[in-house]
Amino acid sequence: MLSTHRTAPVRCCGIYRPQPEPLTVPFTETILYQDEILLVVDKPHFLPVTPVGRYALENLQTRLRQRLDNPEITTLHRLDKETAGVILFCQQPAHRHAYHALFESRQVQKTYEAIAGFRRDLVLPYVHHSRIENRDDAFTVQEVAGVPNSETAIELIEQRGEYAHYCLAPHTGRKHQLRVHLAGLGIPIVNDAWYPELMPDKGNDFSSPLQLLARTIEFIDPVTGEARQFSSQRALVWPEQPR
């Protein structure tokens, strides 16, 4: 259900422009783990991680701050609004840098799963390298010629007709990397509204979630020294097969 709250119009060059109606995401996050410092959450599809545009109030970080009564909670890495799965938050500002350093030095291992198209001529497992750069629209990316700056390992879990269930292990963390890599290979992720072609904004249509899931995350905790491993409990949905 859409929120009844309306934002005030913004004045620009003497003209008042109405702001987009805020959206309410009808799906709930799950807390997988919590201690005094670390917070691990299983994020639903369609929910942004941080405040942006129509989601200034409806986002995971704001929800968690209100739910746990802690305004210091901040995300430790990125996860697309359209992607579900495991994401880490820090509850104490003094320890954020230690966790950020893990991601910067690539000491965090992440695996994703996706339902996408199937190519019989693509030999798996396969490691895809390419150079990813921003498009002119600023919010999507593209593969271009040049020295590769992205890498994804792709393994087949299961195949059903024209679709397949994949395990994806990104070695780099470029924006929309998994989505643009699979689209570039001719096997776009089911319900991807941005790749290979940008589709109209879905607005409050939550019927077709992107079939991409951040399944696991593993690392050595920089504060406690413990080996950490967390897994999403969510499931992907196969599309109907043509008859």
Side-chain angles (χ1 to χ4, degrees):
M1 180 182 295
L2 283 175
S3 168
T4 57
H5 172 75
R6 294 182 180 273
T7 54
V10 174
R11 184 171 183 173
C12 177
C13 302
I15 301 174
Y16 284 96
R17 301 184 184 277
Q19 292 300 288
E21 180 76 10
L23 292 181
T24 297
V25 178
F27 306 107
T28 305
E29 69 280 358
T30 301
I31 295 178
L32 298 173
Y33 174 83
Q34 180 183 5
D35 60 27
E36 293 182 354
I37 300 171
L38 188 64
L39 180 63
V40 186
V41 180
D42 203 351
K43 185 184 89 66
H45 289 103
F46 299 109
L47 184 66
V49 174
T50 55
V52 58
R54 289 177 291 180
Y55 301 90
L57 299 177
E58 185 70 311
N59 59 83
L60 184 54
Q61 181 172 275
T62 299
R63 282 187 180 185
L64 293 171
R65 287 178 174 183
Q66 295 174 347
R67 177 176 174 178
L68 301 175
D69 192 24
N70 181 0
E72 301 292 349
I73 292 175
T74 54
T75 181
L76 291 172
H77 59 110
R78 296 176 299 179
L79 197 61
D80 292 349
K81 171 172 69 73
E82 293 82 5
T83 306
V86 180
I87 185 167
L88 307 181
F89 288 82
C90 185
Q91 301 198 86
Q92 296 185 16
H95 295 289
R96 290 176 197 159
H97 177 73
Y99 290 98
H100 284 156
L102 287 182
F103 287 94
E104 292 172 359
S105 58
R106 298 180 182 174
Q107 297 182 60
V108 178
Q109 290 75 50
K110 294 185 285 185
T111 63
Y112 292 73
E113 292 180 18
I115 304 293
F118 178 69
R119 269 181 55 187
R120 297 186 181 278
D121 63 329
L122 182 63
V123 179
L124 299 171
Y126 172 75
V127 178
H128 185 66
H129 304 85
S130 72
R131 184 166 190 83
I132 295 177
E133 294 184 355
N134 289 332
R135 290 184 182 274
D136 292 339
D137 60 30
F139 59 87
T140 59
V141 299
Q142 61 185 336
E143 291 182 295
V144 299
V147 178
N149 59 6
S150 63
E151 177 182 318
T152 301
I154 306 170
E155 294 186 13
L156 178 66
I157 298 175
E158 182 184 0
Q159 182 233 333
R160 299 184 188 178
E162 297 182 2
Y163 299 98
H165 185 186
Y166 298 98
C167 177
L168 311 171
H171 182 64
T172 52
R174 296 288 171 179
K175 178 181 177 181
H176 299 169
Q177 177 175 314
L178 302 179
R179 299 168 67 175
V180 75
H181 274 182
L182 292 192
L185 288 170
I187 49 173
I189 298 174
V190 170
N191 296 333
D192 195 335
W194 288 13
Y195 301 97
E197 295 181 6
L198 185 62
M199 306 296 287
D201 185 358
K202 292 181 179 180
N204 62 342
D205 178 5
F206 302 112
S207 63
S208 303
L210 177 73
Q211 293 304 297
L212 177 62
L213 177 68
R215 175 64 76 189
T216 66
I217 190 165
E218 299 179 52
F219 58 96
I220 302 300
D221 195 303
V223 178
T224 67
E226 297 178 66
R228 304 284 199 182
Q229 180 179 21
F230 303 101
S231 298
S232 171
Q233 303 305 305
R234 301 181 186 274
L236 296 174
V237 179
W238 289 86
E240 293 186 6
Q241 298 283 348
R243 296 180 180 180

